[in-house]
Amino acid sequence: MIYRRSSALFAEAQRYIPGGVNSPVRAFKAVGGNPVFVKEAKGAYLYDEDGNRLIDYIASWGPLILGHAYAPVIDAVIEKAKKGTSFGMPTEIETQLAKLAVSMVPNIDKIRFVNSGTEACMSAVRLARGFTGKDKIIKFAGCYHGHSDSFLIQAGSGAVTFGSPNSPGVTQGTAKDTLLAVYNNLESVKALATANKGEIAAIIIEPVAGNMGCIIPEENFIKGLRDLCDQEDILLIFDEVMTGFRLAKGGAQEVLGVDADIVTFGKVIGGGLPVGAFAAREGIMGHLAPDGPVYQAGTLSGNPLAMSAGLAMLTELNNNPEVFRSLADKTKYLGKGMAQVLTDNHIPFQMNRFGSMISIHFTEEPVVDFESSAKGNNAAFKKYFHGMLNQGIYLPPSAFESYFLNDALSYKDLDETIAALANIAKDLH
Ligand code: KE4
């Protein structure tokens, strides 16, 4: 496929925007080559600036779960835009979306809207610290909760020491309050809780992880965290920016049957417009300004335009819950077909799949945490990514991402994807 216009647009973008992109993963650094510039999209298909049609498996990194330019969302946004986009004043539609989200998600009485998943997770941690009066948090290596300082931390020197910044600009002062545990390793969490007894405000986790590729929580891992939090008076924060309204109406809490204390959202809740949110029971949310002392704010938080997209999206999902089963079935079909191709070609691989999240890792070893995910053969992944792109299949341009299926994908699209893999599988050794 030709990407001449995308390359020219990328060259110009780099003159005015750092790296030519407004979010690093889009720049193809992990897979090489120039990023594809998209012109428009409809349903399961992207149409790029060179006229190529691409079957889309990122859905804008999750939000477009019903496909691009989904008519009920678009119509709602158009109608709302005609009446003004934002007022900096309360509007009824914020309450309508809040009421619907609270009705769909277990264990939440109230929800605060923000403008991104980063804001949601950052605010959730501040709320947990304010509610508990404790400073430290535990996160997991490989989990991503947005780019606020407390989360840009990598493992410290020892097993139970403080984290250290993994980005310039993050201070040691911040890093010392973030402790790193190992996903699917409850002992690593217990060790941190023991070594920092009485100092930990919260554990934040992606209940089904999507930022190491897709990583599935092992039996009793999440339940073990719940029990530990109850024993140690620690709040459990589920970062459901990816899993919320994707795995089920009630997200990972519903599917895993484990209660979180605070839940964060993004992506699907905004229907493709900038919306994040965090939610909890009244006893916790009551600590948030203006009711309580924990400050959090935002000029465009809850703006009616974004709320109209989110309300249309969640209304569709709430009224048609069979879509979650449809998405899971399509993901299973795709995974089965691709796994067969890789097996037939004797390619070492692991495939992790949960609901409509899936990822392929070119490694013999099961992928259960960041360390095992990092052992994937990235040279093979690059060949896989570009080989599929050249056949009109758009996959996440990094081995450390989950695919996000949308329900506009037909079984014909899935078969075309499996066939594209069959065409290149022999090159993946
Ligand atoms: P945003 O600030 O990008 O809306 O959300 C941050 C975030 C929080 N929590 C989880 C579990 C997330 O996956 C994300 C963002 N996801 C990435 C994809 N891995 C967004 C893509 C990007 O950074 O451009």
Side-chain angles (χ1 to χ4, degrees):
M1 296 183 117
I2 307 294
Y3 291 105
R4 195 172 295 113
R5 184 153 163 69
S6 277
S7 298
L9 288 170
F10 186 48
E12 186 181 24
Q14 286 174 298
R15 287 187 52 209
Y16 302 102
I17 302 169
V21 293
N22 286 303
S23 198
V25 72
R26 304 176 193 170
F28 278 22
K29 292 284 187 202
V31 291
N34 290 337
V36 173
F37 276 59
V38 63
K39 186 171 193 153
E40 57 189 297
K42 179 69 180 165
Y45 310 124
L46 302 163
Y47 298 91
D48 74 15
E49 288 285 356
D50 289 281
N52 301 309
R53 188 202 80 167
L54 306 172
I55 300 176
D56 180 21
Y57 284 99
I58 67 168
S60 183
W61 299 101
L64 286 312
I65 192 170
L66 298 177
H68 290 279
Y70 187 70
V73 171
I74 300 303
D75 295 347
V77 168
I78 289 170
E79 284 316 302
K80 186 56 77 178
K82 290 174 184 170
K83 298 170 184 164
T85 55
S86 180
F87 311 110
M89 299 160 67
T91 59
E92 180 185 12
I93 194 167
E94 294 162 79
T95 307
Q96 289 169 329
L97 181 54
K99 195 172 170 184
L100 178 56
V102 166
S103 75
M104 294 169 77
V105 177
N107 300 305
I108 63 171
D109 299 324
K110 289 188 176 174
I111 187 167
R112 170 62 61 84
F113 295 113
V114 293
N115 303 282
S116 68
T118 294
E119 265 193 278
C121 294
M122 175 181 74
S123 308
V125 162
R126 184 182 310 133
L127 177 59
R129 286 170 163 155
F131 177 76
T132 62
K134 297 185 276 186
D135 293 347
K136 290 178 181 167
I137 62 170
I138 293 175
K139 77 174 288 288
F140 293 84
C143 282
Y144 178 68
H145 305 294
H147 63 89
S148 72
D149 286 4
S150 291
F151 303 133
L152 298 182
I153 306 295
Q154 58 201 351
S157 50
V160 288
T161 56
F162 308 138
S164 65
N166 72 2
S167 165
V170 176
T171 66
Q172 277 300 347
T174 298
K176 69 176 178 45
D177 289 329
T178 299
L179 306 170
L180 265 290
V182 177
Y183 204 88
N184 277 322
N185 181 331
L186 198 52
E187 287 315 307
S188 75
V189 192
K190 288 178 178 172
L192 289 172
T194 304
N196 299 273
K197 204 155 187 64
E199 298 180 69
I200 300 169
I203 294 172
I204 184 167
I205 190 164
E206 294 177 54
V208 174
N211 287 289
M212 299 178 251
C214 178
I215 305 274
I216 299 157
E218 289 170 356
E219 187 73 22
N220 295 324
F221 173 58
I222 304 293
K223 178 72 172 64
L225 293 179
R226 177 70 271 166
D227 295 344
L228 178 64
C229 285
D230 292 343
Q231 289 153 25
E232 299 293 335
D233 196 22
I234 295 171
L235 291 183
L236 182 57
I237 301 174
F238 274 10
D239 174 353
E240 294 222 45
V241 168
M242 277 187 176
T243 57
F245 309 108
R246 170 166 284 279
L247 298 184
K249 274 190 188 182
Q253 283 190 105
E254 176 185 321
V255 173
L256 300 177
V258 177
D259 296 350
D261 295 303
I262 302 177
V263 195
T264 64
F265 301 103
K267 300 180 192 286
V268 173
I269 198 171
L273 265 64
V275 179
F278 58 108
R281 61 183 184 271
E282 166 60 34
I284 295 175
M285 294 302 273
H287 281 65
L288 203 57
D291 288 344
V294 178
Y295 195 69
Q296 181 277 328
T299 301
L300 292 170
S301 295
N303 74 78
L305 188 62
M307 294 290 102
S308 68
L311 184 60
M313 176 64 86
L314 261 54
T315 301
E316 287 292 309
L317 296 173
N318 192 46
N319 294 344
N320 308 288
E322 67 279 1
V323 74
F324 299 110
R325 168 52 48 208
S326 166
L327 276 162
D329 289 347
K330 288 178 181 177
T331 310
K332 185 176 181 181
Y333 181 89
L334 177 71
K336 195 162 173 286
M338 294 179 90
Q340 191 59 57
V341 167
L342 294 170
T343 302
D344 292 349
N345 284 273
H346 313 294
I347 308 291
F349 75 99
Q350 300 294 319
M351 183 176 287
N352 290 350
R353 172 173 54 84
F354 197 106
S356 58
M357 295 169 66
I358 186 171
S359 58
I360 294 178
H361 305 260
F362 296 107
T363 174
E364 303 267 11
E365 194 180 316
V367 177
V368 297
D369 57 17
F370 181 62
E371 188 183 353
S372 46
S373 176
K375 288 181 179 169
N377 177 337
N378 205 45
F381 183 84
K382 286 181 180 179
K383 284 185 211 163
Y384 163 59
F385 173 80
H386 284 290
M388 297 294 272
L389 179 61
N390 287 333
Q391 298 180 84
I393 312 296
Y394 195 79
L395 301 172
S398 161
F400 294 101
E401 297 289 355
S402 173
Y403 308 3
F404 295 102
L405 271 72
N406 70 74
D407 204 43
L409 285 161
S410 65
Y411 279 89
K412 181 173 177 294
D413 296 322
L414 304 179
D415 286 336
E416 195 177 320
T417 305
I418 295 162
L421 179 59
N423 291 338
I424 61 164
K426 62 190 177 311
D427 305 330
L428 299 182
H429 282 285

